């Protein structure tokens, strides 16, 4: 509910404490409950007939504040656009008179600007909180005028003046703007850079600082540009090693002419450059990165000490607590540089020579020592000294004792005894264990929805067992904030949670007595479901995503699911689902759904490049909320032009454009059934290894979510395929004509990434499984030509595993099998499996591994492809990867997964993530030196590697076994 609506309802409710016997004698409204309403009087602007009748029917009935409140809420929710106040007035012996006063709200039909000569009206409209259709309120209009004035002042018009006027008849709001003259900068000066003695260098740096500031004499003074300029100077100072510099101080003087002089007072300090000696555990790059961390958070006189502390902390974190740093400083006054060399004596790791746990009597020394080490850092677990890890383990050990009923357990001290050489240390930790507190009795009052045993388990309590106060406190939250919320008891609470009697101890603290008083409250049912804020979208679109209807049990998970479902529609920029009180019912909640619609139209231009497919340009135009029913239409085009002829065949015009155009429609609820209906027309032109293809395709299908992670689908497709530039010797040369193919394809998709944070970057998943499984059947009964009939089954699976921190292992396994259903008739050439390229086996050309040149697939063709890639981040958006790709095609034989039957490659590469997709550079090395691997053969034609199938000997050995793949964006 918007703030305006909340204020409006508050005013309505405040008007209910009504008037008593005489008009001036006000009594509490509850004192009038039950008295007869003699008359209902109306005043002010006219009410709509249905609303007037709603209030009029209260005459001759008993007065009830709840009835009046329900009528007001009904009027608001039904779209009433007037301000209504109700007063109950005692009128002598007649009873009560209800006075209904109405004031029609003024809705702004138009907002205009007059006098804005330098700023477009569209820009000014973005600065205010008013839009057409909003209620006119003088206070809001005045605040809008002030915001416009502030905006002008930020643009350098300090003398601007803004007024407003409203036309009641036209319901138009006009802002009258006097921009005034812009305030110009008369001069800009900075403090002299005295620490640099060389005059030419000093003057150059001062010019660069002024250039970084960005403003010049004669420019308008603009607040945002001044702030950006100061930040740019700070960045320049840090980039040029002025690490001791203070933040620039801005001073200005206003002349009588109205111009402003700006003075930048900068305390530069010395320039500092760092070098390192003696470092073997950390590289120069890593140490400089540490200096950069300090640079971000520490400046001033303590900067050098902060750098030393940061480097020493890094050595301590890897167990080199004996590391020492000495500093060698050399001055260069001419350039104003202080060269600081940090000479590192790394020393050796300190071994833990003994670990003694004292003061703990509930376990043996060996058990205490083992538990302590388990809580320590990895260095401590390996018996290396790590002071921070030891102290952390000591705190956790004390907390663990308290969780086992030793409520007064605490750490007294940790003592470290080093040997003379500082190579070994004995660690002693003293604890005060205290007495153990056990649960004597547990009394649970008021719990009806859960059995005692389940509540005891939630609390982590067992009578006669040690008292875990942490588990008990957590259990109190779990019971009321989770368990009761799941069964509809939204107001459930532990009544005595903050009282002293919830936990009582015996005098010697060895026993605890627990009494939990629970007020479950009602199990709420769903009342009315109200949708607000949907100006374009039909309410039905919202309601069908809500997992409950009126009368259902209302639970917190259902409310969260409703919000999640509505956000997934991508129709709304903001969604709130809130339960509100239902008038006259204590166990019913109305549901108010507030949505803020986003722009349904999209237009994207996505460039890209691949060294094998060439330059690429993608266009995408869509409209998602057609007719307000969440129906979407989408038009897209992807065009690319190859830079090289990777498939050297006679008469191939490889430099021509390749493209994919498509036009699609989606209906998310077919005939109000939760099934997604899609329809798409596409046109494709593409060059393959052995031929060129032009394809016109129509597809239509249904898709339904079966469970949270499983979707089922069925598609019908009809294609017209034209093959060109096919070799005269190819067994598929007769395919060089139009081939009509009709297919039906059922399948299912498994996506475990739903509902988890698996994709912080859409181009770089980090966990989850994605599997697409299809069974394609072609037959003349589906529209195919009489000589075309086959089935094609495939499964494509990708999974992502976070190995450590941000290191991700990406695995893929793709398997396919196709068979001709017509004796002596081959599967269309265009429909055969192919491998090779970035998406299957790197080191080969895109789709360069096929079997069509020699084999006529009138039987079966199998495909196996598996891939593994270890992705390792380096710095920021940069990363590297190590990969292994393998796969092959098999003619008229079972699938073979053995390594010696696969074409394979290994390699490494670099990654850089950008907004339009990753920049990728991969170097792939083919592991096979033989030209033939089972049913596929690699030959060399005019210096260009070509993969073919062959029933005979390969023509010649390939001369190169490596390939570089470079790509920008997603293809």
């Amino acid at each position: 509910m918007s703030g305006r609506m909340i204020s409006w309802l508050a005013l309505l409710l405040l008007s209910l404490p009504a008037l008593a016997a005489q008009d001036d004698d006000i009594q509490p409204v509850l004192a009038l409950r039950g008295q007869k309403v003699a008359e209902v009087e109306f005043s002010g602007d006219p009410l709509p007939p249905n609303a007037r009748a709603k209030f009029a029917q209260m005459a001759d009935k008993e007065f009830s504040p709840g009835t009046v409140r329900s009528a007001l809420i009904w009027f608001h929710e039904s779209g009433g656009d007037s301000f209504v106040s109700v007063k109950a007035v005692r009128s002598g012996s007649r009873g009560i008179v209800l006075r209904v006063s109405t004031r029609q709200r003024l809705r702004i039909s138009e907002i205009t600007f007059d006098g804005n000569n330098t700023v477009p009206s569209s820009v000014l409209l973005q600065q205010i909180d008013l839009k057409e259709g909003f209620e006119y309120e003088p206070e809001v209009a005045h605040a809008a005028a002030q915001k416009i004035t502030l905006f002008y002042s930020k643009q350098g018009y300090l003398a601007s003046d803004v007024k407003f006027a409203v036309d009641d008849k036209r319901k138009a709001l006009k802002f009258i703007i006097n921009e005034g003259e812009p305030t110009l900068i008369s001069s800009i000066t900075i403090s002299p850079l005295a620490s640099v003695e060389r005059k030419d260098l000093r003057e150059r740096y001062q010019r660069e600082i002024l250039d970084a500031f960005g403003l010049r004499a004669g420019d308008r003074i603009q607040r945002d540009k001044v702030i950006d300029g100061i930040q740019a100077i700070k960045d320049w100072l840090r980039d040029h090693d002025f690490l001791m510099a203070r933040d620039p101080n801005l001073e200005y003087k206003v002349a009588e002419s109205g111009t402003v002089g700006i003075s930048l007072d900068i305390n530069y300090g010395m320039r500092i450059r760092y070098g390192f000696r003696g470092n073997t555990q950390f590289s120069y790059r890593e140490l400089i990165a540490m200096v950069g961390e300090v640079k971000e958070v520490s400046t001033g006189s303590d900067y050098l000490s902060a750098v030393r502390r940061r480097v020493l902390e890094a050595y301590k974190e890897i167990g080199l607590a004996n590391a020492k740093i000495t500093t060698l400083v050399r001055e260069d006054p001419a350039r104003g540089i202080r060269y600081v060399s940090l000479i590192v004596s790394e020393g050796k790791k300190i071994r833990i020579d003994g670990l003694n746990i004292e003061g703990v009597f509930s376990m043996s020394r060996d058990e205490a020592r083992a538990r302590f080490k388990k809580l320590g850092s990895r260095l401590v677990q390996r018996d290396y000294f790590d002071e921070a890890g030891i102290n952390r383990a000591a705190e956790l050990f004390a907390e663990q004792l308290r969780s086992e009923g030793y409520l007064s357990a605490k750490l007294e001290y940790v003592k470290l005894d080093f040997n003379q050489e500082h190579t070994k240390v004995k660690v002693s930790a003293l604890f005060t264990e205290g007495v153990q507190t056990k649960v004597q009795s547990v009394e649970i009052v008021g719990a009806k929805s859960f059995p005692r045993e389940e509540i005891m388990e939630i609390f982590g309590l067992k009578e006669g067992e040690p008292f875990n106060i942490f588990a008990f406190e957590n259990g109190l939250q779990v019971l009321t904030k989770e368990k009761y919320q799941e069964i509809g008891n939204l107001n459930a609470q532990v009544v005595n949670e903050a009282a002293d009697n919830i936990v009582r101890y015996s005098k010697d603290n060895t026993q605890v007595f627990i009494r939990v008083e629970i007020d479950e409250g009602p199990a709420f049912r769903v009342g009315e479901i109200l949708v607000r804020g949907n100006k374009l979208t039909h309410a039905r679109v919202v309601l069908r995503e809500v997992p409950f209807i009126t009368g259902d049990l209302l639970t917190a998970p259902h409310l969260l699911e409703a919000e999640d479902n509505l956000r997934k529609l991508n129709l709304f920029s903001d969604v709130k689902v809130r339960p509100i009180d239902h008038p006259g019912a204590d166990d019913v909640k109305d549901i108010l759904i507030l949505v803020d619609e986003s722009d349904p139209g999209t237009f994207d231009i996505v460039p890209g490049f691949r060294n094998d497919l060439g330059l690429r340009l993608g266009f995408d135009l869509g409209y998602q909320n057609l007719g307000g029913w969440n129906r979407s239409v989408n038009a897209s085009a992807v065009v690319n032009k190859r830079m090289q002829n990777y498939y050297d065949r006679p008469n191939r015009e490889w430099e021509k454009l390749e493209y994919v155009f498509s036009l699609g429609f989606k209906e998310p609820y077919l005939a109000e059934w939760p099934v997604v209906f899609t329809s798409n027309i596409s046109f494709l032109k593409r060059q393959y290894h052995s031929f060129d293809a032009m394809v016109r395709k129509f597809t239509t299908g249904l898709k339904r979510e079966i469970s949270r992670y499983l979707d089922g689908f069925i598609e019908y497709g009809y294609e017209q395929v034209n093959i060109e530039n096919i070799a005269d010797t190819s067994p598929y040369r007769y395919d060089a004509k139009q081939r009509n193919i009709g297919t039906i394809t059922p399948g299912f998709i498994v996506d475990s990434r739903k509902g988890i944070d698996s994709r912080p970057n859409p181009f770089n998943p980090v966990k989850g499984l994605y599997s697409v499984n299809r069974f394609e059947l072609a037959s003349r009964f589906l529209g195919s030509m009489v000589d075309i009939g086959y089935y094609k089954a495939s499964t494509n699976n990708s999974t992502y595993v976070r190995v450590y921190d941000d290191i991700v292992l990406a695995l893929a396994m793709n398997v396919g099998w196709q068979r001709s259903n017509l004796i002596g008739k081959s599967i269309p050439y265009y429909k055969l499996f192919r491998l090779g390229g970035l998406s299957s086996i790197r080191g080969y050309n895109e789709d360069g591994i096929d079997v069509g040149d020699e084999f006529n697939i009138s039987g079966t063709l199998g495909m196996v492809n598996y891939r593994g890639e270890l992705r390792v981040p380096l710095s920021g958006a940069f990363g590297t990867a190590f990969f292994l790709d393998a796969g092959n095609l098999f003619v008229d034989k079972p699938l073979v997964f053995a390594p010696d039957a696969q074409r394979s490659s290994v390699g490494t590469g670099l990654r850089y993530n950008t907004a339009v997709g990753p920049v990728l550079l991969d170097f792939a090395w083919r592991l096979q030196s033989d030209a033939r691997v089972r049913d596929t053969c690699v030959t060399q034609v005019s210096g260009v590697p070509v993969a073919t199938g062959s029933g005979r000997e390969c023509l010649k050995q390939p001369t190169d076994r490596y390939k570089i793949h470079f790509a920008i964006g997603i293809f």
Side-chain angles (χ1 to χ4, degrees), residues 100 345 373 530 543 585 648 836 897:
V100 181
S345 174
K373 287 182 64 175
L530 311 168
L543 293 175
D648 188 8
F897 294 88

Side-chain angles (χ1 to χ4, degrees), residues 18 47 164 236 284 293 308 331 382 524 603 876 883 901 915 919:
L47 272 172
F164 66 91
W236 186 94
Y284 176 82
E293 293 174 13
R308 294 182 61 204
E331 304 282 355
R382 295 163 54 201
F524 287 100
F603 178 68
F883 60 84
V919 176

Side-chain angles (χ1 to χ4, degrees), residues 131-134 532-538 572 595-597:
K131 293 182 181 179
E132 294 175 359
F134 279 27
R532 295 293 177 264
N534 53 317
K535 298 177 183 178
L536 173 64
T537 309
H538 290 283
F572 311 112
V595 297
D596 188 4
E597 292 178 329

Side-chain angles (χ1 to χ4, degrees), residues 866 897-904 928 933:
Y866 42 84
F897 294 88
D900 62 351
Q902 312 297 318
R903 292 193 173 279
S904 54
Q928 287 75 26
V933 178

Side-chain angles (χ1 to χ4, degrees), residues 473-672:
E473 290 176 349
N474 181 66
L476 291 173
Q477 298 298 313
V478 170
L479 182 66
T480 56
K481 304 303 181 186
E482 296 181 20
K483 296 297 183 181
Y484 274 112
Q485 299 289 313
E486 292 172 0
I487 62 172
N489 296 76
L490 304 182
N491 291 344
Q493 59 179 328
V494 176
V495 178
N496 64 333
E497 184 172 0
D500 294 336
N501 66 339
I502 190 170
V503 175
R504 294 183 297 109
Y505 298 95
S506 62
K507 290 183 178 180
D508 58 0
N509 287 330
T510 59
Q511 296 178 337
V512 64
F513 307 88
I514 298 172
R515 175 184 171 87
V516 180
E517 300 173 8
I518 300 172
D519 179 8
E520 293 186 334
F524 287 100
R525 297 281 172 178
V526 178
E528 294 184 66
I529 304 176
L530 311 168
V531 182
R532 295 293 177 264
N534 53 317
K535 298 177 183 178
L536 173 64
T537 309
H538 290 283
R540 177 62 184 160
V541 173
V542 176
L543 293 175
R544 65 193 182 191
E545 299 298 329
V546 175
F548 47 75
I549 59 174
T550 299
D552 282 357
L553 189 67
L554 178 61
T555 67
H558 279 160
L559 292 173
L560 293 175
E561 184 181 350
E563 277 197 6
D564 190 46
N565 289 347
L566 291 172
R567 287 194 176 95
K568 287 179 181 177
L569 292 178
N570 291 324
L571 295 177
F572 311 112
S573 59
D574 188 36
V575 176
K576 293 184 177 65
V577 180
R578 298 289 182 264
I580 60 176
D581 292 338
H582 181 84
D586 294 333
D587 60 347
V588 176
K589 290 280 189 182
D590 292 339
I591 306 301
L592 182 61
I593 302 176
L594 296 169
V595 297
D596 188 4
E597 292 178 329
S598 55
D599 187 353
T602 59
F603 178 68
D604 294 312
I605 300 177
V606 183
F609 174 79
R610 266 178 50 174
N611 62 331
D612 54 351
L613 300 183
L615 294 171
R616 168 199 189 270
L617 193 62
F619 302 88
D620 190 88
L621 176 65
Y623 189 90
Q624 184 172 354
N625 203 8
L626 195 66
W629 288 105
N630 193 25
R631 300 183 180 114
S632 62
V633 291
N634 180 269
S636 65
V638 178
V639 181
N640 68 281
K641 183 176 181 180
R642 297 177 185 257
M643 308 298 290
Q644 302 178 43
N645 184 4
Y646 280 87
Y647 307 126
D648 188 8
R649 301 180 67 89
N651 303 319
R652 295 289 291 274
E653 297 183 81
W654 56 269
E655 73 280 1
K656 287 192 173 182
L657 291 178
E658 299 177 313
Y659 57 79
V660 178
F661 299 110
S662 67
L663 178 66
F665 169 78
K666 183 177 76 170
E667 166 61 70
Y669 269 76
L670 184 63
E672 293 302 314

